[in-house]
């Protein structure tokens, strides 16, 4: 049995005290910052078009983000002590638990909607939509609407920036499995609900906006089979897209399981080690996928090979590539052994790299032909790649030239020595 791989997620024992410490989730269009307090479940809904100004070269004025807040707040005590909050990088789901009460939040890549699902919310809770955020721009003009019937509520909120021709309208559909709802000044009060489902979308528009079409679309997503079935259906459609994108690249530094199990804040309080580097690499991958962004120069939405992101510094310390060169570097001491999988290169190939003291194994899966200079600590040589033909490079860090082993379907070519085993187990999923 292989050893467990790195943890693809992080957790904290307490809710975030400020938005900078909230866990993010997003799909490249809508995004959210989740505080992770199931008793006062605050979620900041973000969108790239909320940010002003869009800078021109030479501008020094800081960008001021805006947003809105969805809130599910218990009016009566209960639910039990706080267990913790966590984010699963492989799904983008942020979870917070206190006793029987659990909140789950993600932004769907398949349906472009913010999904907030609360089980056992409490005997009486308020559900609100608000534009007033700490640090947000002053002078926003806002208007709201509330309509409720038969366990379903539509909250609308329009916010306009002074001097801007554009307005933003947020719509949140609230579905309860049972109980009754009454109106409040900013939303509704839900009594006796066992499950609540909130579906939120934001639209930017020029001039008047009719939310009728968006309302119908949200109702179609919610269906008529209740909050639990709708949540499972939405999550299933989203997860396949998100997981495939996130798991394309992974880093395994063979960290100790006990360190991998620590919270993010506990890891940061210790001397830097493999578990912290694994967590930071995974978090960077996740943040890049989840941060909302539509327009240059931020480019912080979903990345593709056609629009490659710069590799993080840790990757730059191990491997570098240009359209005509591959450079393999000796690993830093803190990363004496490990595995990096699925790394896109500048010459159109995916790279898997495994290393241990005194040896390495690199597998290249080219998508197009390439004629490269291969640079490794033991020397340089020419390397010719053919599209669809996997190549395996095996060498110790010192002595001799790198052996180039053609390979298909993961098998070494006949007559060649088999490459050394990978020094660490496959990344955990």
């Amino acid at each position: 049995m292989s050893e467990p791989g790195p943890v693809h997620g992080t957790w904290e024992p307490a809710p975030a005290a400020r938005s900078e410490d909230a866990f993010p989730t997003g799909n490249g269009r809508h995004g959210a910052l989740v505080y992770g307090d199931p008793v006062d479940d605050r979620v900041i809904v973000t969108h790239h078009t909320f940010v002003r100004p869009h800078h021109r070269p030479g501008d020094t004025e800081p960008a001021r983000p805006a947003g809105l807040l969805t809130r599910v707040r218990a009016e009566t005590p209960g639910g039990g002590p706080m267990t913790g909050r966590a984010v699963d990088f492989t799904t983008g789901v942020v979870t917070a638990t206190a006793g029987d009460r659990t909140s789950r939040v993600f932004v769907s890549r398949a349906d472009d909607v913010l999904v907030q699902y609360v089980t056992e919310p409490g005997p009486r809770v308020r559900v609100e939509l608000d534009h007033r955020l700490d640090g947000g721009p002053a002078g926003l003009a806002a208007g709201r609407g509330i309509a409720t019937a038969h366990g379903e509520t539509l909250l609308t909120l329009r916010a306009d920036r002074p001097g801007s021709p554009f307005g933003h309208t947020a719509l949140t559909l609230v579905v309860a499995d049972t109980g009754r709802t009454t109106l409040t000044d900013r939303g509704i009060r839900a009594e006796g609900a066992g499950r609540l489902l909130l579906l939120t979308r934001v639209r930017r528009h020029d001039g008047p906006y009719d939310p009728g079409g968006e309302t119908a679309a949200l109702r179609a997503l919610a269906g008529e089979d209740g909050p639990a079935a709708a949540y499972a259906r939405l999550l299933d459609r989203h997860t396949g897209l998100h997981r495939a994108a996130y798991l394309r690249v992974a880093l395994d530094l063979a960290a100790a399981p006990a360190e991998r199990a620590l919270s993010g804040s506990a890891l940061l309080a210790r001397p830097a080690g493999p578990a912290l580097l694994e967590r930071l690499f995974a978090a960077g991958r996740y943040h890049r996928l989840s941060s909302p962004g539509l327009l240059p120069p931020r480019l912080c939405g979903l990345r593709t090979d056609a629009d490659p992101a710069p590799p993080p510094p840790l990757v730059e310390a191990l491997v570098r590539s240009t359209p005509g060169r591959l450079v393999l570097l000796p690993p830093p001491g803190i990363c004496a052994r490990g595995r990096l999988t699925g790394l896109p290169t500048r010459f159109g190939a995916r790279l898997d790299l495994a290393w241990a003291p005194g040896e390495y194994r690199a597998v290249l899966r080219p998508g197009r032909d390439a004629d490269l200079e291969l640079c490794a600590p033991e020397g340089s040589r020419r390397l010719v790649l053919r599209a669809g033909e996997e190549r395996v490079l095996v060498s110790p860090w010192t002595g001799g030239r790198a052996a180039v082993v053609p390979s298909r379907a993961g098998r070494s070519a006949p007559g060649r020595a088999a490459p050394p085993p990978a020094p660490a187990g496959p990344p955990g999923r």
Side-chain angles (χ1 to χ4, degrees):
M1 180 181 297
S2 61
E3 295 181 0
V7 175
H8 291 286
T10 192
W11 68 279
E12 293 295 336
R18 54 180 190 162
S19 61
E20 292 87 345
D21 297 325
F23 287 150
T25 181
N27 66 356
R29 182 178 296 272
H30 286 83
L33 300 172
V34 186
Y35 283 82
D37 185 350
V39 178
D40 186 4
D41 196 8
R42 295 172 295 158
V43 177
I44 296 178
V45 183
T46 61
H47 196 281
H48 182 93
T49 59
F50 282 162
V51 179
R52 292 289 188 276
H54 292 299
H55 285 142
R56 298 179 178 86
D59 284 352
T60 57
E61 181 184 354
R64 292 181 60 84
L68 56 96
L69 185 74
T70 68
R71 192 173 191 178
V72 181
R73 177 165 53 91
E75 288 190 340
T76 55
M82 177 76 181
T83 303
R85 59 186 176 109
V87 55
D88 182 344
F89 296 159
T90 67
T91 63
V93 177
V94 180
T95 305
T97 304
D100 296 331
R101 183 187 291 116
T102 300
S103 168
R104 301 174 179 88
V105 181
F106 72 94
V107 180
S108 172
R109 295 190 183 278
D111 298 301
D112 192 24
V113 65
L114 170 64
V115 181
Q116 192 171 352
Y117 179 55
V118 185
T119 57
E120 301 298 334
R124 181 182 297 173
V125 295
R126 284 178 175 254
V127 182
E128 300 172 345
L129 189 60
D130 204 340
H131 67 287
R132 297 174 297 180
L133 300 178
D134 293 339
L140 287 177
R144 67 177 69 249
I146 307 170
T148 183
H150 309 295
E152 177 187 280
T153 300
L154 180 69
L155 306 178
T156 59
L157 177 65
R158 172 166 177 159
D160 298 328
R161 283 179 181 264
S164 172
F166 298 106
H168 292 83
T169 296
L171 300 94
T172 298
L173 182 69
V174 185
V175 181
D177 63 342
T178 188
R180 69 188 187 94
T181 58
T182 55
L183 300 183
T184 66
D185 56 342
R186 295 190 185 92
I188 61 168
R189 177 182 292 108
E191 298 181 67
R195 296 176 178 84
L196 291 173
L197 178 70
L198 282 67
L199 304 180
T200 300
R201 275 181 177 164
V202 178
R203 291 292 181 251
R204 188 179 77 163
H205 48 84
D206 182 2
Y209 175 71
D210 181 4
E214 204 65 72
T215 301
L218 292 177
R219 284 177 173 149
L221 290 177
E224 299 181 355
D225 46 1
Y231 175 79
R233 183 171 58 249
L234 292 166
L235 179 61
D236 182 65
R237 286 205 295 259
H238 156 78
T239 298
L241 298 176
H242 179 94
R243 187 188 299 272
Y246 172 80
L247 290 176
R248 279 202 300 255
V249 181
L251 178 70
D252 186 338
L253 298 178
E259 291 191 354
R260 284 173 168 168
L262 294 173
S263 68
S265 56
L267 276 177
L268 289 171
R270 298 163 65 93
L276 176 61
L277 295 181
E278 287 178 348
R279 188 79 58 89
L280 291 174
F281 181 90
R285 285 275 307 155
Y286 172 73
H287 285 199
R288 182 164 289 163
L289 289 171
S290 301
S291 299
L294 301 172
L295 305 173
R298 294 177 180 87
L299 293 176
C300 50
L302 182 63
R303 309 306 289 251
T304 66
D305 288 340
D307 178 25
L314 178 58
V315 174
E316 288 273 297
L318 297 169
V319 58
R320 300 178 187 180
S321 68
T322 69
R325 177 179 291 180
L326 173 63
V327 181
L328 302 178
L329 300 169
I334 197 173
C335 307
R337 63 178 64 243
R339 171 181 291 180
L340 177 66
T341 58
L343 183 71
T345 65
R346 300 290 181 179
F347 47 83
R350 290 274 176 176
L351 169 66
D352 294 347
L353 179 65
W355 66 95
E359 61 184 14
Y360 72 83
R361 180 176 186 264
V363 180
L364 289 164
R365 299 186 299 278
R368 61 175 183 263
D369 293 351
D371 192 339
L372 310 174
E373 179 187 11
L374 171 65
C375 302
E378 60 271 16
S380 301
R381 58 158 297 161
R382 182 186 178 197
L383 176 64
V384 178
L385 301 179
R386 302 301 180 194
E389 181 179 332
E390 185 178 279
R391 302 298 297 272
V392 179
L393 314 177
V394 182
S395 174
W397 287 117
T398 57
R401 296 168 65 87
V404 181
V405 185
S407 174
R408 292 183 182 275
R411 297 189 297 272
S412 299
R416 303 277 185 153
R429 291 174 181 256

